[in-house]
Amino acid sequence: MNIGVLTGGGDCPGLNAVIRAVVRKAEKGGDRVLGFRDAWKGFLGNDYVQLTTDNVRGLLPRGGTILGTTRGSPYDVGDGIERTRRQFANLNLGALVVIGGNGSLTVGSRLYAEAGLPIVGVPKTIDNDIVGTDVSFGFQTAVQVATDAIDRLHTTAESHDRVMVVEVMGRDAGWIALMAGTAGGATVILVPERPFDLGRVCEHIERRHARGRFASIVVVAEGARPLPGTPPDMDYAKDQFGRDRLGGISAAIAPLIEERTGYDVRVVQIGHIQRGGTPTAYDRVLATRFGLAAVDAVAARDFGKMVVLRGATIERVPMALTQGNTRTIDLSLYDEVESVFFG
Ligand code: F6P
């Protein structure tokens, strides 16, 4: 059988490890793997490469995706669905493995449900916001990178008696902020799920100073928002898909904290460093298990499903679970971290 594979959405450490596992397992079963370049763009444009054990050698530790990635889909193109169907037929594709986040998995589930196409999903995102899986690969690497940065920032903050406002990724869910902030001993953590009051943020920092601790780390997820009607007023530009072009909440709150508290404040935006580079061992293993399980799903002709981690087990659940859903943080953990560690 010919099995297609593509990587869609933002890149993420571990994508190449999934590709490698798909190729290795498919070849063992006598199947041929075609890798489409730049996601659906390459699929519709007939831009692909045959992937073999030879050309996926050395991929396990490599960040990014050798296939390239973009954010569009067949639904953005006039006759996209018909062209997708034709491409399955022309290339004699028995299945397509879509490795992507909420956007790509939603597209995959619609193509399965609306066009009957044999698609299997693999959930990826550093944001960890995909419903159905306990963890997506790439997340653990991003948390480690952010935690390493926070550890480093502690020492310089302490040397200068400064407040460091550290911005991490997390558009709709504050998983990276909550986990890296907890691991790094942050004074305050701000997440999209809990609109913040800057007055309270300043109180936490001031309480800490009153105890003789003159350096503080404030971790803020890029998607965090103030309570309605309170500062700062964030007005984001839109990207080509109409989404807020996030980034900058740290720079917006830092001068306000400085003004209210009188403390010296600096801003660090970790940005795409969280998404680049080699995956941790945990993510390499999870990505490998997902890749192997995706080929099992294809062999079982269990289409319209994505492979997920539940507890310690890899399972399959409908990709449709992702449609319009976001897996947000565990608020009880956030509340406990707030009540015990903030300030
Ligand atoms: O999808 C994950 C994510 O890392 C979000 O947290 C972030 O908003 C977005 O990607 C930014 O991606 P890009 O810069 O590629 O548009």
Side-chain angles (χ1 to χ4, degrees):
M1 180 198 307
N2 285 342
I3 302 175
V5 60
L6 61 81
T7 53
D11 75 336
C12 167
L15 284 167
N16 287 324
V18 180
I19 295 169
R20 169 183 174 270
V22 167
V23 171
R24 294 285 292 269
K25 179 137 184 174
E27 269 195 1
K28 277 255 154 64
D31 295 322
R32 207 163 76 108
V33 179
L34 307 182
F36 295 94
R37 293 200 182 89
D38 299 331
W40 293 104
K41 193 166 163 231
F43 188 88
L44 296 176
N46 203 35
D47 184 6
Y48 64 88
V49 60
Q50 186 180 341
L51 296 172
T52 62
T53 296
D54 272 349
N55 59 23
V56 298
R57 196 156 280 139
L59 280 195
L60 201 47
R62 197 181 319 162
T65 161
I66 55 157
L67 290 175
T69 182
T70 55
R71 283 209 162 85
S73 88
Y75 287 97
D76 304 327
V77 185
D79 59 347
I81 310 309
E82 202 31 56
R83 280 171 60 194
T84 304
R85 265 210 195 92
R86 274 207 303 274
Q87 187 65 327
F88 266 86
N90 291 344
L91 295 175
N92 198 18
L93 283 182
L96 178 67
V97 176
V98 171
I99 313 170
N102 280 318
S104 306
L105 295 169
T106 294
V107 168
S109 73
R110 288 186 61 190
L111 287 170
Y112 166 75
E114 297 165 13
L117 295 172
I119 295 179
V120 167
V122 177
K124 73 84 221 175
T125 171
I126 64 164
D127 289 1
N128 202 34
D129 61 356
I130 299 173
V131 169
T133 186
D134 290 353
V135 194
S136 52
F137 69 87
F139 168 61
Q140 217 256 357
T141 304
V143 170
Q144 191 60 55
V145 170
T147 303
D148 290 347
I150 293 168
D151 286 350
R152 287 174 180 277
L153 291 168
H154 270 293
T155 62
T156 172
E158 280 156 17
S159 305
H160 291 268
D161 290 347
R162 276 179 179 151
V163 176
M164 291 284 181
V165 181
V166 187
E167 181 172 326
V168 297
M169 282 188 171
R171 173 170 289 273
D172 303 307
W175 285 105
I176 299 176
L178 177 57
M179 296 306 165
T182 301
T187 298
V188 182
I189 302 168
L190 304 177
V191 294
E193 293 89 337
R194 278 260 194 267
F196 62 85
D197 170 14
L198 210 55
R200 280 199 71 194
V201 173
C202 293
E203 281 167 21
H204 286 308
I205 300 169
E206 282 165 341
R207 210 171 50 246
R208 188 170 155 82
H209 275 235
R211 290 202 323 272
R213 306 287 295 157
F214 303 121
S216 294
I217 305 280
V218 175
V219 176
V220 56
E222 61 179 355
R225 311 259 170 183
L227 283 167
T230 70
D233 193 9
M234 299 304 292
D235 191 14
Y236 292 105
K238 302 284 179 199
D239 67 15
Q240 64 179 126
F241 301 101
R243 308 185 319 166
D244 284 342
R245 193 182 281 272
L246 294 179
I249 183 76
S250 53
I253 64 175
L256 301 177
I257 295 174
E258 194 164 87
E259 200 179 297
R260 288 192 197 192
T261 61
Y263 306 142
D264 201 12
V265 184
R266 292 291 187 275
V267 174
V268 177
Q269 201 175 330
I270 301 180
H272 292 77
I273 294 171
Q274 287 155 102
R275 251 168 55 181
T278 189
T280 57
Y282 177 89
D283 277 337
R284 293 181 202 185
V285 173
L286 181 59
T288 299
R289 293 178 76 195
F290 278 175
L292 297 174
V295 177
D296 288 339
V298 169
R301 307 194 58 75
D302 196 7
F303 300 122
K305 300 280 178 63
M306 63 178 181
V307 296
V308 296
L309 183 71
R310 292 199 160 168
T313 315
I314 304 288
E315 296 179 11
R316 300 200 280 260
V317 300
M319 265 189 290
L321 277 183
T322 57
Q323 282 191 34
N325 287 321
T326 300
R327 182 168 176 271
T328 49
I329 59 164
D330 174 356
L331 282 173
S332 64
L333 174 61
Y334 181 86
D335 291 343
E336 190 171 11
V337 169
E338 173 174 21
S339 70
V340 177
F341 299 112
F342 282 19

